[in-house]
Amino acid sequence: MEIVQDKVVRGTINTQRRKLNDWLPAQFDLRDTWFPIAHTNHVTNKAIRRIVHAQVFYIWREGANVVATDNHPDCPHAARRSANYFTGGSGFYIVVERYGYVWGWYGNPENANEALLPHIPFLPQNGNGIPNYMRTTIRFDACSALSVENLLDLTHADFLHGEVVGGEGEAETDEVFFEHTSETITRTRMVTGKPVSPIMRWVGGVRAKYQDFRSTLHVHLRSNLCISYPRFEPGFDVPNVQPFVPSGPYRSRVDQIFGLDKAPTPFRQLMPKVAFIVGPQDNSVMRPQNPRYFNLEDRVDFHSRFDAPGNRYRYLMKKLQERQNNGDFTYSSDADPGADISELLGMKIKS
């Protein structure tokens, strides 16, 4: 285990150590991307307010269309909209409905392209048929990048959420590997002989003592959209989407959707409610972590063999931020956010 700690001597940072430990998860403001800013069923003819980084979105319906502006529709100061880079001075954001979400373009509106919308293979593209009970909303007292790091190291579930979804106890094998592009990172954890997840046993009716587990997490870096595909054998798949939408250096919002139409009835109705147990457990860990990253005197990062995906995530995020700081908001040749990820998630692997 490696321990890296910054030292401050009379206000001067030890630059050699600082270079190794300069991760500030709240510093990222990556642009020219789509954020899923609201569940479609939350958007009515009455305006609701959402925040992406420091930008305020007011969203409502006008007939069959969704409208989003940078001022409340009843605001008399419409002239203030002219200075907003994200609306091109029009006051109106570019939005589209897809997969049960209203997506807002965050960046130069001239670069907005629906082909850059992420592919979510287990949800209907038009959003029809997604039950309300498969939608949840959780708020975290931590920035979105820290929340994504938490998910990339899925081993935390074994002890933090063990009584609900983790399945506490030793496994026969436990492997973590990842692959990436300049815009995404995909982490897969494969476990054999893991004690059956409690919720699978209590609600899902799985009577075996042990099960094999394969969980793939696909992260879109610019938006921190996480597409998760856990598979349990014996058991069933628990696909879900977790968009960590940043609403400040200490806040993120997750409008989660589960794709449990193939799971048995009691499980698919109750599993989404577990988010209201697991979410606060995660928040209890991340809430005190977030401010510590701003304190260079006390910061200590611990690393284990399971942290390789998280370390690569940090590297890729820094590279993207450097490019954008230099005025380059384009997508590289290896990047295709809308590509079919069914095989990447393991959906086509036969049980």
Side-chain angles (χ1 to χ4, degrees), residues 88-320:
S90 70
F92 291 89
Y93 295 103
I94 298 174
V95 291
V96 64
E97 291 187 79
R98 194 75 57 87
Y99 300 116
Y101 291 108
V102 171
W103 302 74
W105 178 257
Y106 181 79
N108 186 343
E110 294 182 0
N111 296 334
N113 186 345
E114 290 189 22
L116 297 174
L117 282 162
H119 176 240
I120 306 175
F122 50 81
L123 293 180
Q125 191 175 94
N126 60 11
N128 294 339
I130 300 175
N132 288 344
Y133 62 77
M134 288 192 190
R135 306 172 189 257
T136 64
T137 298
I138 301 292
R139 297 170 180 82
F140 289 102
D141 300 316
C143 64
S144 58
L146 190 60
S147 300
V148 171
E149 272 200 303
N150 180 61
L151 267 187
L152 282 169
D153 180 14
L154 191 60
T155 58
H156 81 275
D158 296 349
F159 58 90
L160 187 59
H161 315 309
E163 295 180 356
V164 182
V165 298
E168 292 181 298
E170 293 293 330
E172 294 177 12
T173 64
D174 196 339
E175 298 178 276
V176 174
F177 53 92
F178 70 93
E179 54 189 289
H180 65 87
T181 70
S182 60
E183 296 286 343
T184 64
I185 185 167
T186 307
R187 183 270 297 141
T188 299
R189 183 187 182 196
M190 299 183 68
V191 184
T192 60
K194 183 181 179 67
V196 171
S197 166
I199 194 169
M200 285 272 181
R201 184 185 304 116
W202 301 333
V203 183
V206 177
R207 300 308 176 200
K209 187 175 181 180
Y210 299 98
Q211 63 188 168
D212 295 339
F213 173 56
R214 184 186 193 278
S215 178
T216 302
L217 182 74
H218 185 66
V219 181
H220 290 267
L221 301 175
R222 295 198 192 204
S223 62
N224 277 327
L225 172 76
C226 295
I227 302 172
S228 179
Y229 203 94
R231 168 166 288 172
F232 299 84
E233 296 179 333
F236 25 85
D237 302 348
V238 190
N240 63 93
V241 183
Q242 298 182 61
F244 290 92
V245 178
S247 49
Y250 294 92
R251 297 287 185 273
S252 57
R253 176 190 178 97
V254 182
D255 287 325
Q256 187 172 10
I257 297 181
F258 288 82
L260 298 171
D261 51 297
K262 296 181 181 178
T265 299
F267 184 87
R268 71 169 177 258
Q269 293 178 334
L270 291 175
M271 181 63 198
K273 298 183 184 301
V274 171
F276 300 112
I277 300 174
V278 170
Q281 289 174 340
D282 283 325
N283 199 34
S284 69
V285 174
M286 291 186 295
R287 183 192 296 114
Q289 283 184 10
N290 203 96
R292 288 173 185 161
Y293 280 98
F294 294 95
N295 189 337
L296 297 178
E297 296 184 24
D298 299 333
R299 283 174 50 192
V300 178
D301 273 345
F302 295 91
H303 302 280
S304 78
R305 65 187 179 91
F306 295 106
D307 289 330
N311 290 335
R312 176 57 58 171
Y313 168 74
R314 291 184 176 192
Y315 174 81
L316 293 170
M317 291 288 280
K318 289 178 181 179
K319 286 297 182 182
L320 268 176

Side-chain angles (χ1 to χ4, degrees), residues 319-332:
K319 286 297 182 182
L320 268 176
Q321 189 70 72
E322 288 173 6
R323 282 180 52 203
Q324 295 204 353
N325 288 344
N326 291 325
D328 182 4
F329 298 91
T330 61
Y331 285 73
S332 300

